[in-house]
Amino acid sequence: MREPAVPPRTIAVIMICVLAGLGPGLALGEEAKPSESRTQAATAEAAAQARGRELLEGKLATLPGAERGRVVSIREAPLGRLFPGYLFYVLRFRQYPVALNPPAPLRSNNLLIVRPDDSVALLANPEALESFFRSTLPAATTAAMATEGAKAWLRLVEELNQDGFLQFAVPDESITVTRVVSGGQRVTGEAVVVPKGGNQGGIRAVLVFDSSGTLVSASETAQIKRGIRPICQATKLLDPDLIVRGMAEQAILVMGRAATDYLAEPGTPGRH
């Protein structure tokens, strides 16, 4: 017997149901798979970081004694948005418990910036940093852009005031943008020291832009009170006087993880 023909309308309904059932599964499969553009961006970022490290090592090789310092990458959102193609690092020499005297022209904290043209700039003080900002910072034509500039400035100035035991935070409410008579903008902000281990204070910054958005000046005033630091505590961890030993242990406990590198060094008294 011949089978009855299936009406076209029924076939259409069946196809819609099938596609509806497969659709979510396909969508889930696409969502779980990393996008090609994201993968390419990650690959490009990794290549840029590797290239930056290579160029940085070449620069440090020309500075005798630089190998005694520690290099840390600075990767913050405002820096990436304002200075695309630039890579930021800090070369820090230990200050506690025994300071490592940096060889000239280096200081305890040094900013190193890898430019898009593969050159590496050494900025060892706020004056050099201001010169970099004035020549490189994009025009701040809006309050939002001026705010970004202040946050970027504060982030880098923090590193020039760092001793390895400070933590900073830049509250949004600390940033204030006002118009000046010339038609430009004046931005003030503060990087507040996280009150931990006796650390207090902060860094206040002032940036002034002219009517075209060009940075005219950038300055900072640091008022930081440093708390407990590992100066001689570890040498007293084995002191025969129980009171002295207890004071040394308490000081190191207050410092917490900030004292880990110091305590882990070979030859540190009390190291197990």
Side-chain angles (χ1 to χ4, degrees), residues 165 167 193-200 227-229 254-257:
F165 291 85
Q167 295 179 19
V193 173
V194 177
K196 184 178 180 181
N199 297 322
Q200 297 177 27
I228 298 173
R229 298 293 184 267
V254 169
M255 287 185 291
R257 293 188 178 183

Side-chain angles (χ1 to χ4, degrees), residues 130-150:
E130 180 186 10
S131 178
F132 168 77
F133 263 64
R134 291 182 64 179
S135 64
T136 315
L137 186 69
T141 54
T142 65
M145 294 177 69
T147 297
E148 285 273 271

Side-chain angles (χ1 to χ4, degrees), residues 32-77:
K33 214 185 212 181
S35 67
E36 186 178 345
S37 60
R38 187 175 301 174
T39 302
Q40 290 175 345
T43 302
E45 173 66 14
Q49 290 295 329
R51 179 59 177 159
R53 279 284 180 172
E54 181 183 344
L55 293 167
L56 184 62
E57 289 173 4
K59 176 69 173 180
L60 295 178
T62 67
L63 301 169
E67 69 280 357
R68 300 172 62 201
R70 181 186 177 195
V71 175
V72 179
S73 175
I74 307 172
R75 300 165 73 178
E76 304 289 338

Side-chain angles (χ1 to χ4, degrees), residues 67-103:
E67 69 280 357
R68 300 172 62 201
R70 181 186 177 195
V71 175
V72 179
S73 175
I74 307 172
R75 300 165 73 178
E76 304 289 338
L79 294 173
R81 287 192 290 266
L82 293 174
F83 305 105
Y86 288 78
L87 299 174
F88 296 83
Y89 302 89
V90 59
L91 171 65
R92 180 173 300 123
F93 290 85
R94 188 186 64 198
Q95 298 181 41
Y96 300 96
V98 179
L100 293 176
N101 294 321

